[in-house]
Amino acid sequence: MGAKRYQAVKGTRDLLPPETALWAAVEAVARRVFGRYGFGEIRTPIFEDTELFARGVGESTDIVGKEMYSFTDKGGRNVTLRPESTASVCRAYVEHGMQTLPQPVRLFYIGPQFRYERPQKGRYRQFHQIGAELLGGKGAESDAEILLMLVAFLRELGFTDLKVLLNTVGDAESRAEFRRRLVEYLRPHAEALSEDSRRRLDTNPLRILDTKSPEEQKLLAGAPHLEECLTDASRSQFARVQEILDRMGVEYDVSSRLVRGLDYYTNTVFEIVSEGLGAQNAICGGGAYEGLVEELGGPATYGVGFAIGEDRLIEVLPGSFKEKQKLQVGGTVVVRVIGDSAEGLGDARGGLEVAGQELAEELRRAGVPAVSLGDATPAKTYAYAEHVGAPAIVVLGGDELKTGTLTVRTTATRKQETMPREAAFSYLKAFFASFVSSSSS
Ligand code: HAM
């Protein structure tokens, strides 16, 4: 009997090549686009004090209530694997006194998040977010800036049909009034509500609007609208956000039922959904939060940001981007050696393996990515080249050695050409240089 075999823990997974190259390419685009908007990268710890999330994300949310990976460490600290990063970024903003820097502060992050949710298509327990936060800005203008950057990023990935769903959840005053009216409307129907919703009636009634139950949705059709409870300030802020987005040509749909599952939002909230994902169709969520920094011990600070679910984003990535990425990564050159050491290939001990390794190393030193397959058969060489996406195969045999040439075979066309060694090196160098320059354009 063999030893016990292990599997990745439920809800987690390995990301493997060649897909990881796609992840890296998406992240490279994020860095490039966010950099263009003046955002700098922040890397916060993967775990934080549990209390940070309880206070930041909100005690009554699903995340804090049932989805956190919390544990006590050996020093008796109560810590939690981050379920999201906005609270961490605000904690860091306060901890490092970033309010004394020229405002606003623009930060982005890329990394894993952890939520104990029921795994399904597009939903994992360890998932990845690409997010950004703009802190210390000015209301509607900041909201629009964040949305402009988000849309620019998605466009750069080749998305053409994604719509931003936009709403306002009002300021604290609007929300208190809406909460009061919603509870007043729902209370007499409490019997018809699910247990979850009944509990939320007292803890977080706004979350009842998220219900997936058709009966509850029917009941909610007659419920009061947040819109009716908005203060003048919230109303004009929402109008201003739309005005700026219109002026900048950013498309959106106002979706008055959109609420978000985290407690810190005020005024502008948004989501981006994709039909391709089924039930878990939100690829991005975000919005403004005016009270969070203060809640975490800092000064009153306007904040707005978003987080894209990278796993879901990759799932629905346009084919155009995937194709471009494949071309740009371009794999490696595969070296194949034919002949034997009697022809002067390799030394007596290492033979063809070493001859191939030598040539591959020379290519790498010239900036050409290369691997050697030694004296593999043509069939094996092609199979490998196709597997790693190698655009070319370099063949070195007795003839080439004698004449100081190399034979370069293009994988796609299977056409080959024997050329002087120098010329082959220049050709391959130019070939790969073109990848590098087109991927960073
Ligand atoms: P969120 O809506 O909780 O917002 O998450 C943002 C995105 O993360 C979702 O739209 C989804 O694509 C992805 N996501 C969430 N949970 C999972 C999961 N279990 N598996 C796969 N993907 C998932 C936030 O996290 C806020 N911090 C966003 C924000 C930033 N608001 C302001 N600033």
Side-chain angles (χ1 to χ4, degrees), residues 63 83-86 109 115 117 122-129 132-133 260 262 264-265 271-272 282-289 304-312:
I63 293 179
E84 63 108 48
S85 285
T86 309
Y109 49 88
R115 294 183 195 175
E117 293 192 81
R123 194 158 78 188
Y124 306 94
R125 290 179 174 172
Q126 173 172 342
F127 60 101
H128 305 78
Q129 284 185 343
E133 313 291 345
R260 306 263 305 124
L262 300 90
Y264 47 63
Y265 292 110
E271 261 178 18
I272 293 177
I283 60 171
C284 174
Y289 43 90
V304 56
F306 63 80
I308 298 168
E310 193 176 0
D311 307 74
R312 296 181 190 178

Side-chain angles (χ1 to χ4, degrees), residues 317-336:
L317 213 51
S320 59
F321 183 81
K322 287 195 236 181
E323 281 310 309
K324 202 164 105 199
Q325 183 263 336
K326 235 190 261 167
L327 288 175
Q328 286 173 353
V329 172
T332 47
V333 159
V334 173
V335 172
R336 174 173 173 254

Side-chain angles (χ1 to χ4, degrees), residues 3 8 28 46-47 55 83 114 171 212 214 238 303 350 383 415 427 434:
I46 255 167
F47 59 89
R55 291 196 68 141
F114 306 84
D171 52 18
K212 301 267 183 294
F238 194 44
K415 286 214 179 90
Y427 169 77
S434 77

Side-chain angles (χ1 to χ4, degrees), residues 397-408:
D399 285 347
E400 281 87 359
L401 195 72
K402 234 178 286 158
T403 54
T405 57
L406 288 171
T407 296
V408 179

Side-chain angles (χ1 to χ4, degrees), residues 94-110:
V94 176
E95 182 169 341
H96 301 286
M98 288 191 231
Q99 71 272 7
T100 62
L101 300 174
Q103 303 293 301
V105 172
R106 298 177 171 87
L107 300 167
F108 77 87
Y109 49 88
I110 299 175

Side-chain angles (χ1 to χ4, degrees), residues 10-300:
K10 183 172 177 185
T12 72
R13 61 189 176 140
D14 302 305
L15 299 171
L16 307 172
E19 207 198 347
T20 38
L22 195 56
W23 283 65
V26 165
E27 289 163 15
V29 173
R31 289 173 194 284
R32 194 163 75 231
V33 174
F34 297 171
R36 203 184 287 153
Y37 282 78
F39 282 66
E41 183 179 7
I42 181 169
R43 300 190 189 193
T44 62
I46 255 167
F47 59 89
E48 301 264 3
D49 274 336
T50 297
E51 208 186 317
L52 173 71
F53 301 116
R55 291 196 68 141
V57 176
E59 295 277 7
S60 64
T61 60
D62 282 350
I63 293 179
V64 174
K66 35 187 184 189
E67 296 170 0
M68 294 211 296
Y69 277 93
S70 301
F71 59 97
T72 310
D73 75 4
K74 290 189 181 5
R77 293 172 201 89
N78 205 335
V79 296
T80 293
L81 300 185
R82 63 182 186 202
E84 63 108 48
S85 285
T86 309
S88 307
V89 170
C90 291
R91 194 257 316 132
Y93 180 85
V94 176
E95 182 169 341
H96 301 286
M98 288 191 231
Q99 71 272 7
T100 62
L101 300 174
Q103 303 293 301
V105 172
R106 298 177 171 87
L107 300 167
F108 77 87
Y109 49 88
I110 299 175
Q113 316 286 338
F114 306 84
R115 294 183 195 175
Y116 193 79
E117 293 192 81
R118 201 166 49 76
Q120 62 184 78
K121 183 177 157 71
R123 194 158 78 188
Y124 306 94
R125 290 179 174 172
Q126 173 172 342
F127 60 101
H128 305 78
Q129 284 185 343
I130 298 178
E133 313 291 345
L134 193 156
L135 291 155
K138 271 202 281 242
E141 287 74 11
S142 296
D143 299 355
E145 182 178 327
I146 272 286
L147 281 162
L148 265 176
M149 179 169 87
L150 175 59
V151 167
F153 170 57
L154 295 171
R155 255 195 221 139
E156 194 103 348
L157 293 178
F159 285 103
T160 50
D161 57 344
L162 291 178
K163 255 292 166 55
V164 177
L165 304 180
L166 193 67
N167 194 20
T168 176
V169 293
D171 52 18
E173 203 184 315
S174 326
R175 283 150 67 92
E177 175 61 14
F178 178 49
R179 193 185 153 111
R180 194 187 61 73
R181 288 203 215 170
L182 187 66
V183 173
E184 194 178 87
Y185 170 82
L186 287 175
R187 187 76 73 193
H189 304 282
E191 289 305 302
L193 295 175
S194 70
E195 202 180 310
D196 253 2
S197 295
R198 222 173 305 138
R199 188 169 42 78
R200 285 178 177 152
L201 210 47
D202 296 311
T203 55
N204 195 354
L206 300 194
R207 292 294 314 284
I208 300 176
L209 301 174
D210 274 347
T211 182
K212 301 267 183 294
S213 136
E215 294 90 72
E216 292 189 354
Q217 281 174 349
K218 214 184 286 164
L219 181 60
L220 285 168
H225 286 244
L226 172 74
E227 232 184 323
E228 303 148 16
C229 310
L230 292 179
T231 58
D232 287 345
S234 284
R235 220 176 276 282
S236 70
Q237 168 145 343
F238 194 44
R240 178 102 183 106
V241 174
Q242 294 177 63
E243 198 180 294
I244 304 173
L245 293 179
D246 290 342
R247 190 158 146 182
M248 302 281 190
V250 174
E251 285 184 44
Y252 57 88
D253 285 336
V254 172
S255 169
S256 63
R257 288 273 176 218
L258 176 71
V259 285
R260 306 263 305 124
L262 300 90
D263 276 356
Y264 47 63
Y265 292 110
T266 52
N267 288 313
T268 310
V269 292
F270 53 85
E271 261 178 18
I272 293 177
V273 296
S274 166
E275 300 299 320
L277 281 167
Q280 300 304 318
N281 63 359
I283 60 171
C284 174
Y289 43 90
E290 278 147 276
L292 182 55
V293 170
E294 210 173 356
E295 177 76 28
L296 300 177

